Amino acid sequence: MTIHACLLSTGKTVVRRLAVLLAAVLILSGCTEQRLFAVRAVAAGIPSLAPFFEEDGSLGKDRKGLAPQEAHSGLQQGNTPGLYGGTRDQQVCDIERLKDFLTDPENRQKAREWARIVGITPDRIEEYLDDLTPVLLRHDTLVKNHDYKKGKAVPYDSLLEAGVAVLVNDQGLPAVKCSCGNPLKAFDKDPEKISVTFADGNKKWAGYEKSDVVTVKPSPQPLKRIALLDVDDPGTAINRPVGTTGEEDSTFDATREHKVPGVVGMTFDQAGQELARLGLAVAYDGDELPPGDAAVTGSTPGPGTPLAFGEAVALSVDANSDGTPVPASPTESDGPKSPPDRSAPPSGKGTGSAPGEGTPSGKESEPGGGTSSGTGSTSPGGGTPSGSRSTPGGGTASSPAGGTPSVTRSTPVEEPPPPPSSTSAPTVTSTPPTVGPTSADPPSTGPTSTEPTLSEPASEPESSGPAPSGGPGSGEAAQGPA
C-alpha cells in the first residue's frame, strides 16, 4: 500500500509539472504572437516635447482639421499620385530658416546629430535640404521620428496625423517634420502589429482608423515631380517639381478620367510607373510589396476602365516570377503579330522604365512625378494613337507599345507611323520624296509617307515605356494625365 501510494503521488507531481510547463509554453507563445510595437501619435499642430527646433510656428505650419483619407492600400510607394496634398496659398515649411538654424555655430551639436540621422556630413545639410519638397500628409502616416534629448537624437516610432507638413525626398519618403525640424526615416516594422498611444496633448483625432494607416515605401525611380491634390480645391491637382517650394507649381484637372492601361506582362515596378504617369495609384493585397521585377498577371479594374486622378488599380503578380514578362501577349520588342482588335483595349505592353515627368497630353506637368520615357504608343485605354509626334515630358521617342500593328498595311490611314529609334524629334513628311525637284508624276517605287517601315518597330526596352493615352495633337491645351 505504501509503495502504491508513493507511486500515485509521484505520478500526480509529474502531471502537475507537465501542466505548468505546457501553460508556460502557451503563454509565451501567445505573447510572441501578440507582441505589439509602441507607436506615439503626433497630432497636427501639437508641439513636440523635445524637438530639434522650438515649435513656435516660424519654421512650418500643419493644416489642422484635414480629415485623413481612406487608404486604398496600407503600403504605398512614394510616387503614388495624390499620396500627398499641397496648397498654393500657404507656406508650410520655411527651408531657408531651417538651413540657418542648422548651420548656426550655436547649434553645432544639433546639426551633427541631425546629419547623422539623415546619413550625411554636417557640411552637406544645405545641399540636402535644397533637394527636399514641402507637402501635407493626406493619410495618417507611420514614420521613425526623432526627439533631441541631452545632446542626442533619440528615435521613436511615430504616427503623424493627416495635415502634418513634411519635407519629402526624391523617393517620395518623408524626411523632415516641418514644424520642428525633426529628421524622419522610413517606418521599418510590421504596420499590422502596432499599438498607437495618444498622449502629451495628442488626443485621438476625428477620422482616425487603424486600418487606414499608411506606410510609405520608396519610389522605384527618383522623382522629378510630385503629383499633389490641392487640399483647398480637391478638384485640382498640383505638379510640384522636386526641390521647389511651390513657386514652379503647375495645376491640372483632378476630376478628368483616364483609362486603365494594359499592364499584364510588365514587371510590378513598370506597371506602377505607367499607372503613376497617368495619375493612377497602385494597390496590392499583401503584407509586403512584391519584388519590383515580379511579373504582373492581372489588374482590377481591367484595361480600359476610366478612373479619376489618384484612384487605385489593384495588381496581382506572379510571386515566384524572376522578372520575365509572362507570354500572355507579344512584348514591345517583338511587336504584335496581327492588327489589334479595335473593340477591346490592347494589352499595352511596355517597359515603363520610369515614372513620367511630362504630361501624357503633351505639356510638361505630369501627375506621375518622376522621369519620363514617353513614347508614341497607343492609348492605354485602347484607343488609336494620335498622329502627333511630340514626346511628352521630353521623353525619347522609341518603340511603340503593343497596340500598333507590325505587318498589316491594309489600313494605312488609320495606323500612323511609329517614331524612329533615334533620340532626335521624329520628322514626318506629307509628300513622298521625288527623283527630280520638279517631277510631275507621283513616284511609283518611292517610300509612302504614311507607312515608314511598319514591319520592324524600333525597340529600346531599357528606356521605352507605354505612351500617354491622350492625343497631344488634338489641339487641346490639356494639363495633367492624358
Side-chain angles (χ1 to χ4, degrees), residues 37-44 46 48 62 68 74 137 139-146 156-164 166 177 184-185 187 191 194-199 202-205 207-216:
F37 302 105
V39 172
R40 285 160 51 186
V42 176
I46 302 300
S48 300
D62 298 332
L137 298 180
H139 302 276
D140 295 341
T141 304
L142 289 167
V143 296
K144 184 175 289 296
N145 206 335
H146 296 82
Y156 66 96
D157 293 322
S158 174
L159 177 66
L160 304 183
E161 182 188 5
V164 169
V166 298
K177 187 173 183 291
L184 306 174
K185 302 291 285 185
F187 184 76
I194 62 171
S195 176
V196 181
T197 302
F198 294 84
N202 299 281
K203 297 179 180 179
K204 185 178 293 187
W205 47 82
Y208 167 73
E209 291 289 345
K210 185 179 178 181
S211 59
D212 288 333
V213 168
V214 162
T215 303
V216 183

Side-chain angles (χ1 to χ4, degrees), residues 21 99 128 141 159 167 196 204 214 244 275 279 324 477 479:
L21 288 173
K99 283 184 191 177
Y128 175 80
T141 304
L159 177 66
L167 294 172
V196 181
K204 185 178 293 187
V214 162
T244 66
L275 289 169
T324 303
Q479 289 182 324

Side-chain angles (χ1 to χ4, degrees), residues 24-37 190-195 210:
V25 169
L26 291 174
I27 290 172
L28 290 175
S29 175
C31 289
T32 301
E33 292 179 359
Q34 298 300 320
R35 181 186 175 190
L36 300 177
F37 302 105
D190 185 350
E192 297 294 325
K193 297 180 179 179
I194 62 171
S195 176
K210 185 179 178 181

Side-chain angles (χ1 to χ4, degrees), residues 404-429:
T404 305
S406 61
V407 294
T408 300
R409 302 172 185 269
S410 60
T411 57
V413 175
E414 295 181 2
E415 301 299 333
S421 59
S422 66
T423 57
S424 61
T427 302
V428 178
T429 60

Side-chain angles (χ1 to χ4, degrees), residues 45-69:
I46 302 300
S48 300
L49 296 182
F52 271 75
F53 185 99
E54 187 65 32
E55 291 189 80
D56 56 5
S58 62
L59 187 62
K61 295 180 180 178
D62 298 332
R63 174 61 69 92
K64 293 183 179 180
L66 190 63
Q69 299 301 301

